[in-house]
Amino acid sequence: MRKLDYTTIFFAIMGSFLVLFIFIPIINLITSSDAGSIISNLQDSQVISSIFVSVYSALFATVIALLFGVPLAYILARHDFKGKGFIESIIDVPIVIPHTVVGIALLLVFTSNGIIGAPLSKLGLTFTDAIPGIVIAMLFVSSSFVVNSSREGFESIDPRMEKVARTLGAGTLRTFYSISLPLALRSIVVGSVMCWARSVSEFGAVIILAYYPLVAPTLIYQKFVNYGLDNATPVAVILISICLAIFILVRVLMRGWRTYDKN
Amino acid sequence: MIKIENLSKDWKKFKIDNISLEINDNEYFVFLGPSGSGKTMLLELIAGMWSPDSGKVYMNNTNVTYLPPEKRGVGFVYQNYMLFPHKTVFENIAFGLTLRKKEKQQIKIEVEELMNLFGISELSDRLPRTLSGGEQQRTALARALIIHPKVLLMDEPLSALDRKTREELIQEFRRIHKKFDITIIQVTHNFDEALQLADRIAILKKGKISQVGTTDEIFRHPKDKFVADFVGSENIINGIAKEGIDGLTIVDTGNIKIESSQKKIGDVHLTIRPEDITLSNENIVTSARNVFKGYIKEIYDLGTIIKLTVDVGEQLILVLTRKSFSDLELNIGKEIYIYFKATAVNLF
């Protein structure tokens, strides 16, 4: 066996701190609740509906992020233009804004008399204390995952490959969906899963826009404040299990995904 | 015929500067130049991948300057093949036909015909990353040729390949050129490739054309020092030219006087191809106008040939076959005579 040098050993010890710091609380949480309380919580319609609202809204937010994020990602990957840095910053800004602040910012615009909320409320679309409010809160904080990951995917494709497709008779749109999109799909899927997971976990922005209908993180918070730790834990375990299951599933799928590494 | 008129494009560090050029039907044309000379950009401008800042491109007397690549019907082959990695060899080659909505059976027939031609039939279902460089380049060629383009553009198609594969593909290119009745424009930085393939060559330097001509013209009569250096003229000497006898020009290099059949007066460069110089142990009588006595300064063994540096006042490089090298019993410091004709001396 290769003999390890002291630097590697030292760095490995330092590095394992973070790994354990993340790993221990998660494992402890999952094992801390007894099966009985988890099962009774699973039969609680409030718990089930809050998890459903979370998963469903997050999915919706992800679809919207994909619909608008992928074209943006492609433009950012392929074109240089004035103001590009500004657009990139705007996409990344939600990462640095406190989420309660995001909630307030969105609330001001999307209430029934806000500049976007007012016209939309005339169409029957309300955001405060409604699913659309949850969706936009999620979309705001997590769409950058789709944009940035898709963009990386597009950037890894040699533009000359697209040029060859053009010379063979494919127009720009045809080239996009027969060459660029399939080759970037892996990155787009990764970005989507990150976006979805980030949406499910969103709490701060959601409670300000829409305390009700309850999303799972809000329910956990409510149970914790009103009934204490013992009551909140089983719901937390259920939520984290769902998230981890999907995370692992996607990882496994990704491993089997054909990669087309460059020559 | 392809006609390029005052074409200019400036993009990042790449530049095409007011280039005009005509390429004939069925010609094998080579853009030769060092990296950064703009040769790839010129090729991509012909393919329609860029819009020029100014100037025009005509194909068969039609102005195609603003026609997108998919409407130009040119084939394109890149150095790194640019095969679609998620498609099999068959699907890669079929791509152009699929776009043209041909019937599946017809596509199959045409693709198989081309795969046979390039000897890649057994690779049909393989993905590009499992192929060797030569196989990938053959696939890329087949993919470009399946749409029967009138013009095939190739950007450094041989640079990523090993020597043996390169030789094979050079034969392949010749065959394609004959068989497909096609105009080929190839970009390369390798003069030997150009020599073996080109009907005509354009030498590019910093986005401008330094010289256009047949292979022989460029090889024997480089127009300036840049071209001479680039085509590997090893004997480049400065001198002052004045009129000599018999309609010849005499160039005084400061050390020796060399006669040339070309007419030039004043400060000149002269080049002599190493293979145009003969060497002898004695001062024999020949028709060559230039005879100099000197000694051997350096000997480089290049395997099949031997390269010598001789000092005759100026240092000149010449090449010998291994056989004549040993017949002449040469060694460093040995006194010898060299001869070359006045017609072998190129002036610029």
Side-chain angles (χ1 to χ4, degrees):
Chain A
M1 208 182 112
R2 191 169 56 97
K3 201 171 176 294
L4 291 173
D5 62 90
Y6 292 116
T7 313
T8 308
I9 292 167
F10 175 66
F11 281 11
I13 290 166
M14 295 301 284
S16 53
F17 168 80
L18 266 185
V19 176
L20 293 173
F21 173 71
I22 294 169
F23 187 70
I24 290 170
I26 289 176
I27 287 302
N28 179 59
L29 172 63
I30 290 173
T31 53
S32 64
S33 237
D34 63 290
S37 64
I38 288 176
I39 288 166
S40 69
N41 266 286
L42 277 173
Q43 287 158 346
D44 180 343
S45 68
Q46 196 190 26
V47 172
I48 294 302
S49 88
S50 77
I51 286 174
F52 179 75
V53 167
S54 276
V55 169
Y56 169 82
S57 305
L59 201 62
F60 212 75
T62 306
V63 169
I64 296 172
L66 276 171
L67 188 64
F68 297 105
V70 171
L72 177 63
Y74 188 68
I75 286 185
L76 290 176
R78 280 289 176 265
H79 299 281
D80 280 321
F81 50 88
K82 230 181 156 186
K84 185 176 174 180
F86 179 68
I87 290 176
E88 289 167 338
S89 312
I90 286 184
I91 291 300
D92 287 337
V93 144
I95 292 167
V96 298
I97 303 181
H99 291 178
T100 43
V101 176
V102 168
I104 286 166
L106 284 173
L107 189 60
L108 287 172
V109 174
F110 280 94
T111 53
S112 52
N113 49 20
I115 51 168
I116 299 175
L120 287 177
S121 74
K122 287 202 183 93
L123 298 171
L125 202 59
T126 48
F127 292 91
T128 43
D129 285 333
I131 297 271
I134 297 170
V135 172
I136 58 160
M138 289 174 166
L139 180 66
F140 192 96
V141 297
S142 53
S143 60
S144 64
F145 287 102
V146 168
V147 176
N148 290 334
S149 181
S150 308
R151 177 186 174 169
E152 253 171 57
F154 289 128
E155 276 174 348
S156 72
I157 304 166
D158 196 315
R160 291 181 297 173
M161 205 175 285
E162 295 171 352
K163 289 179 181 175
V164 167
R166 299 281 306 278
T167 64
L168 291 168
T172 43
L173 191 61
R174 179 70 194 243
T175 301
F176 176 77
Y177 72 78
S178 62
I179 306 297
S180 324
L181 195 60
L183 291 175
L185 198 58
R186 191 177 192 270
S187 305
I188 295 172
V189 170
V190 169
S192 305
V193 172
M194 299 289 285
C195 175
W196 178 86
R198 183 66 197 78
S199 295
V200 168
S201 61
E202 182 51 29
F203 170 65
V206 170
I207 53 161
I208 288 179
L209 267 142
Y211 194 91
Y212 292 103
L214 285 175
V215 293
T218 313
L219 179 71
I220 292 165
Y221 174 72
Q222 193 188 47
K223 279 185 181 268
F224 174 69
V225 171
N226 294 347
Y227 310 107
L229 190 59
D230 285 350
N231 242 295
T233 308
V235 188
V237 172
I238 293 167
L239 190 60
I240 203 172
S241 303
I242 292 171
C243 290
L244 283 180
I246 286 176
F247 184 75
I248 290 165
L249 181 73
V250 168
R251 279 248 150 168
V252 169
L253 284 177
M254 281 296 148
R255 191 165 292 177
W257 194 303
R258 279 202 307 210
T259 51
Y260 313 102
D261 288 324
K262 288 182 188 169
N263 309 302
Chain B
M1 189 185 71
I2 297 169
K3 194 170 144 198
I4 296 163
E5 241 178 42
N6 306 106
L7 202 65
S8 290
K9 170 88 188 172
D10 205 334
W11 187 77
K12 293 191 174 168
K13 57 187 176 162
F14 302 103
K15 196 175 168 191
I16 291 294
D17 191 1
N18 200 23
I19 283 183
S20 295
L21 189 65
E22 280 185 28
I23 295 159
N24 303 317
D25 279 341
N26 296 342
E27 196 168 19
Y28 203 124
F29 201 95
V30 168
F31 295 157
L32 187 65
S35 56
S37 59
K39 51 196 192 312
T40 297
M41 177 173 258
L42 185 55
L43 202 67
E44 292 188 337
L45 276 162
I46 295 171
M49 294 161 183
W50 307 91
S51 307
D53 295 340
S54 63
K56 292 191 174 76
V57 180
Y58 295 91
M59 284 181 183
N60 294 323
N61 298 317
T62 314
N63 184 350
V64 298
T65 313
Y66 298 104
L67 214 57
E70 62 267 27
K71 299 252 163 66
R72 293 199 187 191
V74 298
F76 208 106
V77 172
Y78 274 111
Q79 175 183 357
N80 296 322
Y81 330 117
M82 294 297 137
L83 295 175
F84 307 133
H86 57 309
K87 293 180 185 289
T88 62
V89 168
F90 183 95
E91 289 165 346
N92 263 281
I93 300 172
F95 188 75
L97 295 182
T98 319
L99 290 171
R100 281 163 181 74
K101 306 224 181 339
K102 287 215 178 184
E103 270 183 54
K104 268 213 168 108
Q105 202 51 39
Q106 184 60 27
I107 292 177
K108 197 162 185 289
I109 291 167
E110 290 186 35
V111 172
E112 275 170 2
E113 195 191 320
L114 266 188
M115 287 199 299
N116 273 327
L117 179 72
F118 287 105
I120 49 174
S121 303
E122 71 281 9
L123 307 174
S124 183
D125 297 325
R126 300 254 298 264
L127 283 174
R129 72 191 146 98
T130 67
L131 306 180
S132 73
E135 290 166 343
Q136 292 197 51
Q137 198 55 294
R138 285 186 173 88
T139 308
L141 270 170
R143 179 179 63 178
L145 289 170
I146 200 132
I147 57 170
H148 294 286
K150 283 264 128 245
V151 183
L152 177 64
L153 307 173
M154 300 199 279
D155 183 15
E156 301 264 8
L158 300 169
S159 304
L161 302 170
D162 61 77
R163 196 192 166 101
K164 185 169 163 287
T165 315
R166 197 181 306 166
E167 296 300 325
E168 286 169 14
L169 272 162
I170 285 178
Q171 299 309 320
E172 207 89 79
F173 290 171
R174 287 216 181 102
R175 202 155 61 105
I176 292 165
H177 187 221
K178 280 212 185 87
K179 187 177 162 65
F180 282 83
D181 192 22
I182 198 172
T183 309
I184 297 184
I185 307 177
Q186 180 176 336
V187 156
T188 181
H189 63 266
N190 183 332
F191 185 64
D192 289 336
E193 267 175 49
L195 259 187
Q196 291 184 65
L197 288 164
D199 295 324
R200 283 198 301 150
I201 296 175
I203 307 262
L204 270 83
K205 179 194 180 186
K206 293 182 183 156
K208 283 180 185 292
I209 291 181
S210 290
Q211 187 174 0
V212 183
T214 64
T215 323
D216 202 56
E217 277 166 12
I218 289 192
F219 193 56
R220 303 281 160 196
H221 310 296
K223 218 181 73 187
D224 56 30
K225 189 158 186 314
F226 173 78
V227 178
D229 274 335
F230 200 76
V231 303
S233 300
E234 294 185 270
N235 299 315
I236 307 174
I237 305 169
N238 297 329
I240 298 163
K242 57 177 190 250
E243 217 173 300
I245 48 164
D246 299 342
L248 298 175
T249 304
I250 294 180
V251 183
D252 188 346
T253 69
N255 299 310
I256 55 173
K257 292 188 169 69
I258 296 172
E259 288 185 87
S260 169
S261 58
Q262 295 178 12
K263 295 212 163 20
K264 277 242 161 69
I265 299 289
D267 280 343
V268 293
H269 288 81
L270 65 85
T271 59
I272 310 155
R273 301 290 319 174
E275 60 274 25
D276 288 340
I277 304 174
T278 43
L279 183 143
S280 158
N281 283 323
E282 290 130 43
N283 190 356
I284 46 174
V285 179
T286 74
S287 62
R289 300 289 307 213
N290 296 291
V291 182
F292 299 100
K293 188 184 175 191
Y295 66 95
I296 295 175
K297 202 162 176 226
E298 280 161 288
I299 299 172
Y300 308 96
D301 191 338
L302 301 177
T304 53
I305 57 164
I306 311 287
K307 198 156 112 178
L308 304 172
T309 309
V310 295
D311 192 328
V312 292
E314 294 292 341
Q315 296 197 5
L316 291 172
I317 287 169
L318 57 108
V319 288
L320 292 174
T321 61
R322 180 167 285 280
K323 171 110 178 31
S324 38
F325 176 76
S326 49
D327 287 352
L328 287 163
E329 297 174 338
L330 302 174
N331 48 49
I332 289 175
K334 183 167 182 179
E335 280 205 351
I336 42 85
Y337 292 86
I338 60 165
Y339 308 85
F340 48 91
K341 294 178 173 173
T343 50
V345 181
N346 175 58
L347 301 182
F348 57 82

